Amino acid sequence: MGIQITPSILNTDFSRLGEEIARIPSADWIHVDVMDNHFVPNLTFGPSMIEALNRATETPLDAHLMIEDADRNAPAYAEAGADSVTFHIEATKAPIRLAREIRLQGARASMALKPATPIEPYEDLLPELDMLLIMTVEPGFGGQKFLDLCLPKIRRARALMEKHGVETWLQVDGGVSLETIERCAEAGADVFVAGSAVYSASDPDAMVRQLKVTAEMASPLL
Ligand code: DX5
Ligand code: ZN
């Protein structure tokens, strides 16, 4: 699949989301941060926003669910039309059942790990997942500083994917910028969320393309 960039709309003008998305035609996906004010101390969108965004853009939607009780609440986002649904392992009791349910709804199933959550206990789940998200900040807000301490986990996750021979994508999210993306790509990430780096740029679409080229040059996967 190569390197993909999925800009986060978290720090955009919510009253003009259609226009904000239209500014980044080079994006491979649109990253939609769903927050419930319980799993994280912030509140954003529900499934009806996924339906509205789907009507506003052809670009596939990458829903990142930072919500409690994912077992009960996540399938609604696949049903609403998200093309990829990411639940947090810290918020689910039955990740295998949930991943299968998301896939049955026709979406890609993805699982996220907070910075302090290790990958090793979950390596046998990799074949059930279309993507693994390794958070590189504590989830909840855009514009935070990238945590370098997550880099060894990215490297270990990529090695486990090779060991299991899976096609699972490896996404990173939080503080990804022109300054940090090379380190993530070099460690084995292939899908990159970038919020403030894209939307604080004077030309957001040029930034998307620049991030992609920078990751491609650093990636050992290509
Ligand atoms: C943080 C969100 C991220 C965030 C990324 O909890 O999951 O997707 O919007 O924003 P930046 O790129 O500014 O860290
Ligand atoms: Zn996110």
Side-chain angles (χ1 to χ4, degrees):
M1 201 47 215
I3 298 296
Q4 301 182 82
I5 308 291
T6 174
S8 161
I9 53 170
L10 182 61
N11 282 10
T12 60
D13 179 349
F14 287 177
S15 71
R16 300 161 183 269
L17 276 181
E19 289 161 52
E20 295 283 32
I21 289 172
R23 293 170 76 195
I24 48 166
S26 302
D28 297 292
W29 295 78
I30 301 297
H31 184 83
V32 185
D33 285 306
V34 173
M35 305 184 179
D36 67 351
N37 212 21
H38 292 278
F39 185 72
V40 290
N42 199 356
L43 182 65
T44 58
F45 320 115
S48 58
M49 180 58 86
I50 297 288
E51 287 171 5
L53 292 173
N54 246 337
R55 288 191 294 271
T57 180
E58 302 273 284
T59 309
L61 302 178
D62 168 31
H64 175 195
L65 308 183
M66 287 159 276
I67 59 176
E68 290 291 1
D69 199 357
D71 304 285
R72 211 158 61 118
N73 298 318
Y77 292 84
E79 219 172 306
D83 300 273
S84 174
V85 174
T86 300
F87 58 85
H88 268 264
I89 186 65
E90 302 89 354
T92 173
K93 294 194 172 92
I96 298 167
R97 184 172 62 210
L98 179 55
R100 289 183 179 182
E101 208 174 325
I102 291 168
R103 279 177 162 178
L104 265 182
Q105 299 269 11
R108 295 175 61 86
S110 162
M111 187 176 88
L113 308 176
K114 290 168 71 173
T117 305
I119 174 64
E120 284 75 11
Y122 309 109
E123 66 167 287
D124 292 337
L125 265 63
L126 287 173
E128 298 286 334
L129 302 172
D130 295 299
M131 184 166 80
L132 177 74
L133 164 53
I134 294 187
M135 292 297 303
T136 43
V137 297
E138 291 288 1
F141 302 94
Q144 301 182 74
K145 193 173 176 312
F146 180 83
L147 293 171
D148 275 288
L149 63 84
C150 299
L151 286 167
K153 182 162 60 177
I154 301 170
R155 220 164 265 132
R156 292 198 302 272
R158 175 54 67 190
L160 289 172
M161 288 172 179
E162 275 160 19
K163 173 179 149 194
H164 288 265
V166 293
E167 298 285 311
T168 314
W169 297 349
L170 179 45
Q171 184 179 58
V172 285
D173 181 12
V176 174
S177 67
L178 278 181
E179 201 258 311
T180 58
I181 198 168
E182 280 181 319
R183 308 209 273 287
C184 301
E186 189 275 325
D190 55 3
V191 184
F192 301 84
V193 179
S196 43
V198 167
Y199 279 102
S200 67
S202 55
D203 182 343
D205 199 54
M207 177 56 71
V208 171
R209 294 193 303 268
Q210 228 177 319
L211 285 166
K212 195 173 208 171
V213 170
T214 308
E216 281 169 352
M217 293 204 301
S219 175
L221 305 168
L222 303 180

